[in-house]
């Protein structure tokens, strides 16, 4: 491909890069291929750099040499560093060639380039962490502001003692706030590197220097973090100082470091500071302790759960979730019946998440000796934790205490088997007046059981059988349960009710079918809509059209359903609804159906003509 840059010599480097990528994108992508045959020889690539090839081709060649280049190509690439249009591409190669020759070339280029090209070379030396460049880069901390900023950041990336000394030496000798900020950022980077390397004293010393500088708050925050982390347990007082700060940013860094700080007894020191903080901050610190996952604070957290403020109690429960066990159950159960509903809910949720089979065993063992309020909590936990304890839960479902009974019915939704279905069905349809108030809960549990059982039709079969022995109001409730469960068998039972002799059941069944959430209800609704003299024929047809209008289906199926609806539609209102569906899903078949409606219903000519016109426009 012949590509000349004569016409774009004045455009920015960014635009040049974009043009090169556009024209050579396909070839460039090949260098990432796994096929070894796509790898060009380094000699051929060097030859391109030596040739009079277009600059765009040389740019892509540099990109390839970033992958396949060695020391052999460095000299030719280095020559491009002084070219404003190719310097960025040359640096891409040199940053990635794993040979000291690349470092030497970049250091040498420092004296040959200026402006943005110089900034780029300095950045590349920072990326490569070229220690031999420290002295030369340090010389550029004075002078041009953009170059000085790049130099400070590069020294921070290089990160050795010489780089740190160079930055510290200039920290008080610069007047530019931008440069001062960059020096602080570079020092913070070095401080963190020293901390990670285990060199704690240098890390602390550098961080303290930054804290003494006149720099933006973000740099102070970074230095504070390094100082505390490197100080380990000795940094706790400084951490607490941040937590007591009125500045939210410093408070937040204190909370973040509280999760990271390592050292002997750090968790205990943090716990000891809780009482010295405000209520909000102490709760946030307790949440930080939860993230530390240190079991040594368990005893103190249990005290807070028992005696603390509501906010701190809830926060301490988060710690118990992480490190608590069966020995935390006592204090949590006491909180689960607290008059403060938020505390009670949090305590129950905490117990539900505690791990260990011994927790399950302890919950079941306490059930028989607990007071009513605690029984209700224990029963709900049996359900939440899916503990195999059906027998005592069934017994509790007949408790005189309404709270206990409600908890048991809810728990059965999580653990009941087929054997408990009769109990739930009886409660759901209100066959026992004594437990009439349990109907809603029993209904919800039946829904859960139907979802959990491998064969949900077992529930439907039970409900179908119950239809034969209860009065009509109870049958209506059964139909509602069946609709909530859904499925083919439930649909069949509701369909039978829709054609029963009972107007009440017909009314209920057609309402439920009209709101069905799958197109499976279509044939049932169509059959009802076609029944001569059927009281709910119109409702059934409208329900059928709702399915056609709202649900996804293949175009031929939708057309066939529309044709069937037209065959049974009697009133103009239904035909207009059908026309809305036809217009919404235009096709040749739908257009023909619209015309048929117009031919057979002259009174609808205006509506049909409008629909036909819209559909014809859409098909153009």
């Amino acid at each position: 491909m012949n590509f000349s840059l004569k016409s774009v010599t004045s455009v920015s480097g960014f635009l040049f890069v974009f043009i090169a990528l556009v024209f050579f994108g396909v070839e460039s992508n090949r260098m990432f291929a796994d096929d070894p045959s796509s790898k060009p020889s380094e000699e051929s690539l060097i030859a391109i750099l030596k040739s009079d090839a277009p600059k765009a081709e040389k740019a892509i060649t540099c990109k390839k040499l970033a992958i396949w280049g060695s020391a052999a190509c460095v000299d030719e690439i280095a020559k491009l560093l002084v070219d404003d249009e190719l310097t960025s591409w040359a640096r891409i190669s040199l940053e990635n060639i794993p040979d000291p020759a690349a470092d030497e070339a970049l250091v040498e280029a420092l004296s040959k380039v200026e402006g943005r090209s110089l900034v780029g070379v300095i950045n590349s030396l920072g990326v490569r962490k070229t220690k031999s460049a420290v002295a030369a880069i340090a010389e550029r901390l004075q002078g041009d502001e953009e170059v000085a900023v790049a130099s400070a950041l590069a020294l921070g990336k290089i990160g050795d003692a010489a780089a740190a000394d160079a930055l510290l030496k200039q920290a008080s000798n610069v007047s530019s706030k931008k440069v001062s900020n960059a020096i602080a950022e570079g020092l913070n980077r070095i401080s963190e590197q020293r901390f990670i390397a285990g060199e704690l004293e240098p890390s602390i010393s550098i961080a303290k220097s930054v804290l003494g500088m006149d720099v933006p708050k973000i740099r102070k925050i970074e230095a504070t973090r390094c100082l505390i982390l490197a100080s380990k347990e000795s940094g706790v007082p400084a951490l607490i100082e941040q937590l007591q700060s009125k500045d939210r940013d410093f408070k937040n860094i204190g909370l973040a470091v509280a999760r990271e700080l390592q050292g002997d007894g750090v968790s205990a020191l943090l716990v000891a500071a809780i009482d010295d903080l405000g209520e909000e901050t102490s709760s946030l610190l307790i949440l930080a302790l939860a993230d530390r996952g240190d079991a040594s604070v368990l005893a103190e957290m249990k005290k807070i759960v028992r005696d603390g403020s509501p906010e701190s109690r809830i926060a301490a429960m988060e710690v118990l979730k992480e490190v608590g066990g069966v020995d935390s159950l006592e204090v949590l159960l006491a909180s689960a019946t607290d008059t403060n509903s938020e505390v009670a809910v949090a305590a129950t949720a905490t117990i539900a998440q505690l791990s260990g089979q011994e927790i399950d065993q302890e919950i079941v063992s306490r059930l028989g000796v607990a007071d009513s309020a605690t029984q209700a909590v224990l029963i709900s936990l049996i359900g939440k934790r899916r503990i195999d304890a059906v027998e005592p839960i069934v017994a509790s479902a007949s408790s005189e205490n309404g709270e206990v009974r409600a908890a048991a019915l809810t728990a059965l939704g999580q653990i009941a088997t087929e054997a408990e279905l009769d109990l739930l069905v009886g409660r759901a349809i209100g066959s026992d007046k004594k437990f009439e108030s349990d109907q809603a809960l029993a209904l919800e549990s039946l829904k859960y059981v139907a979802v959990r059982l491998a064969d949900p039709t077992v529930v439907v079969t039970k409900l179908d059988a119950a239809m034969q022995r209860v009065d009509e109001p109870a049958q209506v409730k059964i139909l509602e349960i069946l609709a909530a469960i859904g499925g083919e068998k439930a649909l069949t039972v509701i369909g039978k009710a829709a054609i029963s002799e009972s107007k009440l059941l017909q009314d209920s069944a057609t309402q439920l079918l009209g709101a069905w959430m799958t197109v499976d209800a279509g044939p049932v609704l169509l059959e009802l809509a076609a029944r001569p003299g059927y009281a709910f024929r119109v409702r059934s047809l409208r329900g059928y059209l709702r399915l056609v209008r709202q649900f996804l289906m293949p175009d031929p199926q939708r057309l066939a359903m529309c044709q069937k609806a037209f065959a049974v539609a009697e009133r103009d209102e239904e035909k207009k609804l059908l026309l809305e569906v036809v217009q919404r899903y235009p096709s040749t078949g739908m257009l023909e159906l619209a015309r048929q409606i117009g031919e057979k219903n002259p009174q609808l000519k205006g509506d049909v003509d409008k629909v036909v016109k819209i559909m014809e426009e859409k098909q153009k």
Side-chain angles (χ1 to χ4, degrees), residues 319-462:
V319 182
L320 298 191
K321 283 181 186 178
E322 300 298 324
V323 300
V326 69
D327 55 346
S328 302
L329 198 56
E330 187 74 40
V331 67
L332 287 169
L333 280 174
S335 297
T337 57
D338 197 90
T339 54
N340 184 307
S341 60
E342 292 183 359
V343 170
V345 169
T348 303
T350 300
I351 300 172
Q353 294 181 52
L354 292 178
S355 60
Q357 190 174 2
E358 68 276 10
I359 302 289
D360 294 344
Q361 296 169 348
E362 184 67 16
I363 288 172
V364 175
S365 69
R366 287 172 175 262
L367 188 57
V369 296
D371 57 51
S372 296
T374 306
Q375 277 185 26
V377 172
L378 292 167
I379 290 167
S380 71
L381 287 167
I382 288 173
K384 292 176 186 296
R385 294 176 66 91
R386 306 291 200 278
I387 302 173
D388 185 9
V390 174
E391 186 175 342
I393 300 303
V394 168
S396 299
S398 298
S399 170
E400 294 295 328
N401 184 284
E403 187 179 359
V404 171
R405 199 167 63 248
L409 288 172
T410 301
L412 284 174
Q414 309 296 335
I415 65 173
T417 66
E418 186 178 336
E420 287 71 55
L421 287 178
D422 287 336
L423 168 63
L424 290 172
V425 168
R427 295 294 177 86
I429 62 178
S431 56
D432 189 337
K433 297 298 182 182
K434 178 181 178 182
F435 302 120
E436 193 171 0
S437 61
D438 297 341
Q439 290 176 9
L441 284 174
L443 170 59
E444 288 301 312
S445 290
L446 269 177
K447 293 177 188 177
Y448 279 117
V449 174
V451 171
R452 287 194 303 102
L453 291 181
D455 181 12
T457 60
V458 173
V459 180
V460 178
T461 300
K462 291 279 187 183

Side-chain angles (χ1 to χ4, degrees), residues 41-180:
S41 68
E42 186 175 11
E43 291 78 9
S44 66
L45 296 175
I46 294 172
I48 293 173
L49 297 184
K50 290 180 176 180
S51 72
D52 294 329
K55 288 186 176 182
E57 188 174 353
K58 289 186 177 184
I60 298 303
T61 299
C62 287
K63 194 173 182 182
K64 292 179 178 180
L65 287 169
I67 304 296
W68 293 310
S70 68
C73 68
V74 168
D75 287 344
E76 290 302 321
I77 294 174
K79 294 176 183 178
L80 305 180
L81 289 171
V82 297
D83 187 314
D84 289 341
E85 293 174 331
L86 289 173
T87 183
S88 295
W89 294 90
R91 291 193 298 104
I92 288 174
S93 297
L94 295 176
E95 285 178 11
N96 289 280
I97 292 173
D99 191 278
D103 296 295
E104 295 169 8
L106 288 166
V107 172
E108 186 177 344
L110 287 172
S111 61
K112 299 178 180 179
V113 295
E114 58 185 20
R116 295 194 65 81
S117 295
L118 176 58
V119 169
V121 170
I122 292 170
N123 289 339
S124 293
L125 288 166
V127 169
R128 288 185 64 88
K129 300 183 184 299
T130 305
K131 291 180 171 55
S132 61
V134 168
I137 294 175
E139 293 175 0
R140 290 162 173 80
L141 288 170
Q142 295 285 346
D144 181 85
E145 185 177 69
E146 189 174 1
V147 173
V149 167
S151 299
L153 297 178
L155 290 171
K157 292 176 182 177
I158 294 170
D160 65 356
D165 289 343
L167 289 171
L168 289 168
K169 182 178 179 181
Q170 291 297 329
S172 59
N173 295 330
V174 293
S175 57
S176 167
K177 290 188 177 298
K178 286 186 178 179
V179 177
S180 181

